[in-house]
Each structure stands twice: as structure tokens, then as C-alpha cells.
Amino acid sequence: MRSLIMKYTPYYKRILRLALPVVFAQVGQLTTQFADTAMVGNYGGVDPVPLAAVSLGGSLFLLIYLAALGLALSITPIVGEQYARKSDDSVGKLLTNSILYCLVIGIIATVAALALRPTIAALGRLMSSPGQSVEAVAAMAEPYYDMLVWSLLPLMLFLAMKQFLEGIGNTSTAMWITLGGNALNIILNYIFIFGEWGCEPMGAEGAGLATLLSRIGQCVAIWAYLFLSRRLRPYRQSLCWRAVSGKVQRSLLRVGYPISFQMVLESAAFILTSILALSFGEVAAGSMQVSFSIANIAWMITVALGAASTIVISHIVGRGERRELRPTVVATYHLGIAWALIMALIFVLLREPMAALFTDNTAVVALTAELMLLIAIYQFSDAVQGLSISMLRGLQDVKVIMPIVLCSYLGLNIPIGCFLAYGLGMGCHGLVIGLIVGLTAAAIMTSLRLRHSLRQ
């Protein structure tokens, strides 16, 4: 074991050097939703309606956001490959094209999100039943959702620069800006949700307003860095409309749309699970939201490791150092599985105290603790499939991801989850078991594809 660790230590260090700033940035992004959920849950106290409203509005928004994010993630491996070839002119042109690319995505995503808004009221009517106030949940979710929608455009302009900087190996700048934006979000949450400093209490809507303002602040900060940084001076010289290229835009889209498809479908499985939980009542919906908020802590670290592996592998490809691919892949898996083991143990041992951070409702805490035992199981398959997809992204081998996720989530996850939840009467527990099956199938197929790519 010691000799194995020594063999891969240089690769661990290389990945972690890039991953640690991304970890903090991802934790910052996660904490935005975490803070909204926890602070709104405490605002509601024993009333589960505000917490369920954040769950409904946030889940629908997440579907649009992740589709846009997936498209933006194509920037990193393409920039990384050109950067490794030391082609400043090509990298500069990619900066211009990345900004335009994300601007268009942001506009389209905003329009799509506005078109999706009536779905909130429709879901409230569809899921309502005697003794439940799901319509009240929908009414509270709408203003929260509106604020999130208007944050899409500044968020996409922020992502254009963030993904570009990661492509050139700079993962620390976005980290500091994200952490600053997150701190601002928590302060504004306190002011707007609870009505401090002369403001009226706004509840869930106040959480959305805080998120909007913090994302605008992040966008302004990263663009200030673009125009002030000496390191980016060679790339700023290519910032002009003449650098816009249809070929580059198509290249970004070609790599981005399979990633987007995968993220949307995987997230849709989780979102649909949250929405279906509404049919079992407000306690079930709130418990599912709290469970997934806790689980996202583990997932976001896996995302950071995956982002680092994408950067490292794209640089290896750009330099033509193919012999470095296999040990980099193995080292990435080692780190991801080790993290999954740590989080699974934490979820099992601390499930009740973690749930109690979000709400005072004892029924929600009890059900959340039960669901966390199941969520601990899928940490391993979730880590393997997430890292495999990230490394395939670095190789720009992404088209195969679409049929894999179709089979895993539409073919297995949703049908099995619904059968267990409704057919066998397992409720929320059955829905989460469906996720375990889908994620395990995705882990097996994506890892086999990565192995095939390495052999090629």
C-alpha cells in the first residue's frame, strides 16, 4: 500500500494543487443554496412551508442553470489544450468567443426559465391533496424563483471568465471571488429573510434577492480582474469582434452539449425525486431537500476533483504526453473514492445533528436521518461516474455520455424509483433507492468508456 501511494504521490499533488481552490469555490457555490435552505428553514421554524418553497423554486431553477453550466464547461478543456501548446493568440481568441458564447447562453437560459415559471403553480395544483398546503408552497416559491432567474445572466458572464481561467490553470481567482460573493450572500440573507436593519421580513423571496445581488457582485469582480490582471494582458489584446469565429463557437457547442445533456438528465433525476416527494406531503418534501443539500457537500468536492482532472488531462493532451494519462486517471479515482468513503461515514454517524441544522421540525429531522443512510450508499458510484465524465471531458470524448445517461436515469433510475415508491409503498425511501441504481449503472458504463479511451 505504501509503495502504491508513493508511486502516485506526484499525481495526487498535481491534481490537488489545482483542485483545492476549486474545492473552496465549489463549496462557496454550494453554500449559497445551503445558506438559503438553512436560513429559510430557521425562519419557518416548525412550519415546513418556507423550506418546501425553496425546494420547489430552487429545483426548477437548477434544471435551467445546469443546462447552461454544462454548455459553459466546454470552455475549460478547449482553452487548456491551446494553453498547453503555448498559443497565446489562439487562447486570446478563445477568450472572446467564450464571452460571446456564455452571453448567448445566458440570454436563452433566462428566456427558458421565464417560460418555465407557470410550472410552479401547475405543480402546486397537481400535487395538492386534502390536508396539505402545497399551493401555499408554490405561491411562496414563485418570487424566490424570479430572483434566481434574473441572476442567470450575470452568473453566465461570471462562468465565462471562471472556466477560461481554469483552462489556463488559474483556479484561485474564482475561488476568492466566489467566497467573497458567498459571504455577501449570507449577510444579505440575514437582512432580507429576517427583516434586519430596517427591512421588512421577506422570507424565501429575501433569500432569492440576496442570491441575485451576490451573483451580480461576483460578475463585476471577475470582470475587473480581467481588465486589471497583468497575466491576462496578452489575451486582452485579442478582445475584439474580429476574433469571433463560427468554427470556435461550434467547437465549444460540440463539446458542451453532451456535457449539458448529462448534467440536465442527472439533475432532472434528483429534481424529479424532490418534486415527487411533494406527493408524500410537506415533511417528505422538506426532508428530501435537506438530504440533498447535505449530500451536495460531498458532490461538490467530487466536482472540484473532476474539474482539476479535466484541466490536467487537457494539458497532457495539448503537450502530447500520452504516457501521463493512465496514472493521472488512477490517481483521480484514488482521491475520489477516498473522499466518498469519508463522506459516507460522516453521513451515517452524524445524520441527525446535520439534519437538525436546517429545521426545528422533528418529523423532518427524523425522516432526513433515515434518507441519509441510503444517500451514504451511493457516494461511491456517484464519485466514480462524476470523475469518469470529467476525465472524458478532458479528452473531449463526450458524445458517448448521452446514451449512457439515458440508459442510467430514464431507463433505470426513474422507473425503478417510482415502482418502489408507489408500487411497493416505500415512499421517499424507494425514490432514493432508484437513484442508487441509476448512479451505479452510470458509474460502471462511464468507467468502462474511459478505459476504452485510454486503450485507444
Side-chain angles (χ1 to χ4, degrees):
M1 174 65 83
R2 183 177 178 182
S3 61
L4 181 67
I5 293 173
M6 292 296 292
K7 176 182 176 181
Y8 290 103
T9 295
Y11 300 96
Y12 298 149
K13 289 180 178 179
R14 186 177 183 185
I15 294 166
L16 290 174
R17 186 171 60 251
L18 288 170
L20 286 177
V22 183
V23 166
F24 287 111
Q26 293 290 354
V27 169
Q29 292 281 22
L30 168 65
T31 308
T32 299
Q33 182 65 30
F34 186 94
D36 287 354
T37 303
M39 296 178 81
V40 170
N42 280 280
Y43 170 80
V46 296
D47 181 6
V49 171
L51 188 60
V54 171
S55 172
L56 179 58
S59 295
L60 288 174
F61 171 79
L62 189 63
L63 190 64
I64 298 293
Y65 164 63
L66 288 175
L69 173 62
L71 291 170
L73 288 177
S74 64
I75 295 170
T76 299
I78 294 175
V79 170
E81 185 175 341
Q82 294 301 319
Y83 175 75
R85 293 174 179 171
K86 302 187 184 301
S87 176
D88 286 354
D89 183 58
S90 296
V91 175
K93 289 179 180 178
L94 277 169
L95 174 59
T96 301
N97 281 276
S98 298
I99 292 169
L100 177 61
Y101 177 69
C102 284
L103 176 63
V104 173
I105 292 170
I107 293 170
I108 294 172
T110 301
V111 172
L114 290 172
L116 192 63
R117 188 183 190 276
T119 308
I120 297 175
L123 283 171
R125 290 190 296 270
L126 179 65
M127 295 295 183
S128 61
S129 60
Q132 296 180 11
S133 56
V134 183
E135 289 185 344
V137 172
M140 191 176 293
E142 287 175 345
Y144 173 70
Y145 177 81
D146 291 341
M147 295 295 180
L148 297 182
V149 169
W150 295 119
S151 75
L152 268 170
L153 195 55
L155 183 57
M156 290 310 301
L157 291 174
F158 169 78
L159 284 173
M161 283 302 305
K162 175 181 177 293
Q163 299 309 131
F164 175 84
L165 290 173
E166 288 183 3
I168 63 174
N170 179 353
T171 56
S172 60
T173 298
M175 174 196 73
W176 290 113
I177 292 174
T178 301
L179 291 177
N182 189 66
L184 176 63
N185 178 75
I186 292 173
I187 293 170
L188 294 177
N189 265 348
Y190 177 71
I191 295 170
F192 297 139
I193 292 174
F194 298 101
E196 300 294 335
W197 296 1
C199 294
E200 291 292 324
M202 297 175 67
E205 184 179 4
L209 178 58
T211 300
L212 168 62
L213 294 176
S214 65
R215 286 176 175 169
I216 291 173
Q218 287 177 232
C219 179
V220 171
I222 204 164
W223 276 72
Y225 178 80
L226 167 63
F227 289 104
L228 296 176
S229 170
R230 292 183 178 180
R231 182 182 176 186
L232 297 184
R233 184 180 298 168
Y235 310 132
R236 285 199 300 269
Q237 295 173 357
S238 299
L239 275 176
C240 63
W241 288 108
R242 291 192 301 275
V244 174
S245 165
K247 182 179 179 180
V248 174
Q249 294 290 318
R250 288 191 297 271
S251 176
L252 290 168
L253 187 60
R254 177 181 57 80
V255 176
Y257 83 85
I259 301 170
S260 177
F261 183 85
Q262 173 263 327
M263 294 185 73
V264 168
L265 203 55
E266 181 181 347
S267 300
F270 283 85
I271 291 168
L272 183 58
T273 299
S274 295
I275 292 172
L276 289 174
L278 281 168
S279 64
F280 299 109
E282 294 162 0
V283 169
S287 298
M288 196 69 78
Q289 170 68 8
V290 172
S291 299
F292 287 163
S293 295
I294 297 171
N296 279 342
I297 298 170
W299 172 240
M300 286 299 179
I301 306 304
T302 303
V303 168
L305 290 172
S309 70
T310 300
I311 297 168
V312 172
I313 288 176
S314 67
H315 288 183
I316 289 172
V317 172
R319 289 192 295 265
E321 299 173 347
R322 303 292 174 136
R323 66 184 181 280
E324 295 292 302
L325 283 173
R326 186 175 297 276
T328 299
V329 168
V330 173
T332 301
Y333 279 140
H334 286 174
L335 293 170
I337 292 171
W339 174 251
L341 177 60
I342 292 169
M343 292 310 299
L345 290 172
I346 290 173
F347 289 167
V348 171
L349 298 175
L350 301 177
R351 58 191 185 276
E352 289 189 9
M354 293 178 77
L357 292 174
F358 290 83
T359 179
D360 297 327
N361 188 304
T362 55
V364 172
V365 171
L367 181 54
T368 299
E370 294 177 11
L371 295 177
M372 290 310 301
L373 291 174
L374 294 172
I375 287 173
I377 295 173
Y378 75 58
Q379 293 308 302
F380 301 96
S381 53
D382 204 15
V384 170
Q385 66 91 25
L387 294 175
S388 298
I389 289 171
S390 295
M391 290 184 279
L392 287 170
R393 188 188 312 152
L395 295 170
Q396 299 183 37
D397 179 15
V398 291
K399 287 186 178 180
V400 72
I401 294 173
M402 295 175 66
I404 289 176
V405 297
L406 278 171
C407 175
S408 300
Y409 301 116
L410 288 186
L412 295 173
N413 177 6
I414 301 302
I416 291 174
C418 288
F419 172 72
L420 295 174
Y422 299 103
L424 298 185
M426 295 177 68
C428 290
H429 302 77
L431 295 174
V432 178
I433 292 172
L435 285 171
I436 294 173
V437 174
L439 289 167
T440 302
I444 293 170
M445 288 187 280
T446 53
S447 60
L448 288 175
R449 176 62 186 190
L450 181 59
R451 183 181 180 185
H452 171 77
S453 296
L454 292 177
R455 285 180 174 177
Q456 293 296 319

